[in-house]
Amino acid sequence: MPPSAPAWGQPLAAAATPVLVVDALDVYYGRAHALQGVSLTLERGVLGIVGRNGMGKSTLCNALTGLVPARGSVRLHGQELLGLAPHQITRRGIAYVPQGRRVWASLTVDETLRLVARQRREVDRVYAMFPRLAERRSHGGAQLSGGEQQMLAIGRALLLEPRLLVMDEPTEGLAPVIVLQLSQALRELSTQIAVLLIEQNLGVALAVADRVAVMVNGRIANDMPAATLAADRSLQERLLGVRAAAEDDDDDGAAPTPPAASAPMPQQVLTVQRAHGGGVGASALAADVAARPGAINRWSVASGPAPLAAAATPATPAAGTVRPAAESARVLSFPVAASGSRAAYVVGTFDTKARELLYLRQCLEKLGLRVVSIDLSTSGKPSSASVHPREVARQHPQGEAVVFSGDRGSAISAMALAFERYLLTRHDVGGIISAGGSGGTTLASAGMRALPIGCPKVMVSTMASGDTRPYVGSSDICMLYPVTDVQGIHRISAQVLGNAAHALAGMMAHPVAVPERSKPALGLTMFGVTTPCVQALAQRLEPSYDCLIFHATGVGGQSLEKLVDSGLLEGVIDVSTTEVADEIGGGVFSAGPTRMDVYARHALPYVGSCGALDMVNFGAWDSVPERFKRRVLYRHNPNVTLMRTTPDECRAIAEFIAAKLNAFAGPLRFLIPEGGVSAIDMPGQPFHDPAANRVLFDTLAQRFRPGPQRRLIRLPLHINDPAFADALVAAWHEIAPATNPHSHAAHRQTRLA
């Protein structure tokens, strides 16, 4: 907000009484006691309310604004408001900025503001405060980004001339740069109007608020100056188990460690009380986490050793206590997610799958997870997600116009790229889930593949029972077949989607405790016909190395090289380069024309060989192209048919590999097993063809450029001969860095730098 921005509301210094006094406020949803004797005072400035989902924060907002019936007392500048209708409370001076913005999709920015304003100059005051809205004044609500919608919601509320602004999750789902801008605007606005700020982002709450209250189980458990909480990290951890969002990221802006790589977390099962009867939402759930030492919640890895009530002075006598469960309550034990400040992302095309995606969101919120919903629609229709599709589309290198082109095919491709880039700007992704058909799966999986291995990813897709390779790629996406189409909530879809949500919640709640490995990681490639070689190789290396073996079926080579690009491997022994044969011969297991290019970008020690270069792979016998039916074919199993490579194909394969090897940046050894390259390439076996092999080996030798750290070695051994495995080990030790942990770490840091 610029320094010349107009003043809003009445000067705070003129207030003779506290702006807001709440005393013994109770709210019930049926038999569920959502707010339990809440008492708080807001003298002036900003009071931040923090706590995990289901603790009653939104219910508090609704009670203050008259949207739900309540008992107790709510006084604004000494005037009692409880019992008044919402419009009467608004006229008394409380304006509400609801969670999710709730702007009118069919009205332009200017129409929305003029509907509330009494005079035109009041609308101009909003434009002076938010210049971006002035630029977008003729755009409809559905055409605004999430940040622009939030600006509009705040401006709409300010036009009511409030004495108190109640804001529920104003930064939810917004990009970090927009969060920063809104935080600055709120700080300046708080000098003019009192603000009750409900905020999941602890960093924002500490930066904006004068005081912070922690809400647990419908009670105010602690109330203290924000500066006190901000200055005491141990107190933050005892109360909430988190650090401020700004502290979660490294100074250099590096991406956060994925959940799977986090430190081991103790398992804590919390008891959730659910009242009988339907219609009770997430706000009605009450988890008895308040006084449990070491309890895990959505905010934490683990809270401190003391109960929450003992961590600071309670705001009320009941602070931090847990009431006995009602006799009629049903007790459900479920592990609450230990996901830190991370959120579960529900993504998809909300223009066609809103009901199903919102059901996923509901399931996750009932489990205590913070949820961010992202709309990937390209139709331009209004969106009910917390992140508007235009906000995602603006991450496309050529701008949002490329995404909303009107051509469905190009629009999906463009949105997929924009979503991938959008996710890389987020620092709170604890897991991601989606549901859809081929288009929705294409969009969502593009972003999933960009996330680190180990970050939970669940895709409910009608494509899950077919060829999933285009969607999963080299990532660890979990795909679930919906049985019926992803359309509507019925007995089947409710079960499948619910299972998917619980699967994601389980992965987020219980990240795998991967032990620290003192041994360096080494990547190996294996095919069925080179298994004896790779098994012998791994057996010899496992005392010193953590051997990661990849099945060379196309995606296997891609997965290996993705880890190389991520800097997670010490080196590679590429025994089975058979994917190159499929690339040259038109088989189904090609890893693409970029196979082996990664070693030109990373100076990684590399040992390679000719494993299974005698074959091109196809599916079942009937799937072999007609032009190959006269070739030497071998039925490997009912689903795989092999075709022997010809001398011409062997020459092309050798030229491909030699060109790649010549571009390598690091030390390498390439070993040629002249006795045969696979289990079926030896005397008496169907693919034994010395003439074709000779072309392969000689072309490699002719095209390869040797050097001090680059050698091609020809051996009179079969690839599965134990002596050949010994030769591979010896070649590796010639070029490998030292294997003690300290030398490994130093080498890796040097290589990554």
Side-chain angles (χ1 to χ4, degrees), residues 4 88 103 206 242 261 330 407 462 518 547 554 601 648 674 753:
S4 60
Q88 294 174 315
V103 301
L206 294 177
V242 298
R330 179 165 60 88
D407 178 75
T462 56
S518 60
C547 294
R601 299 192 297 270
D648 286 342
E674 295 186 324

Side-chain angles (χ1 to χ4, degrees), residues 35 148 158 213 268 300 364 374 376 427 565 573 644 690 729:
L35 291 188
E148 291 163 351
L158 291 175
Q268 176 75 36
S300 64
L364 292 166
I374 301 179
L376 303 180
H427 300 282
D565 246 339
I573 302 182
R644 189 26 163 125
V729 172

Side-chain angles (χ1 to χ4, degrees), residues 255-256 345 347 372 374 376 392 395 416-429 431-432 443-452 455 457:
Y345 275 51
V347 306
V372 174
I374 301 179
L376 303 180
V392 180
Q395 293 296 325
L417 174 60
F419 179 49
E420 178 181 342
R421 294 168 66 95
Y422 175 83
L423 275 186
L424 295 178
T425 69
R426 308 296 298 180
H427 300 282
D428 64 342
V429 183
I432 185 169
L443 287 166
S445 63
M448 292 180 182
R449 291 193 300 272
L451 294 173
C455 179
K457 315 167 186 73

Side-chain angles (χ1 to χ4, degrees), residues 172-252:
E172 180 186 34
L174 301 184
V177 65
I178 303 300
V179 171
L180 185 62
Q181 293 172 7
L182 280 178
S183 298
Q184 177 66 22
L186 288 177
R187 279 195 296 270
E188 298 187 23
L189 185 63
S190 66
T191 64
Q192 306 166 41
I193 301 176
V195 179
L196 183 69
L197 176 67
I198 308 298
E199 184 54 68
Q200 295 271 20
N201 188 325
L202 181 59
V204 171
L206 294 177
V208 174
D210 301 296
R211 298 187 64 82
V212 174
V214 181
M215 200 162 193
V216 177
N217 285 353
R219 302 182 182 91
I220 300 297
N222 299 90
D223 185 342
M224 71 194 73
T228 301
L229 184 58
D232 193 337
R233 293 188 179 183
S234 62
L235 182 59
Q236 293 176 32
E237 293 173 357
R238 287 200 303 273
L239 292 176
L240 298 168
V242 298
R243 283 182 280 179
E247 298 169 4
D248 289 341
D249 302 326
D250 297 331
D251 291 338
D252 59 3

Side-chain angles (χ1 to χ4, degrees), residues 275-292:
H276 290 300
V280 179
S283 296
L285 296 178
D288 62 348
V289 63
R292 290 184 178 236

Side-chain angles (χ1 to χ4, degrees), residues 45-56:
V46 182
L47 173 62
I49 308 291
V50 299
R52 74 180 185 88
N53 282 341
M55 293 297 101

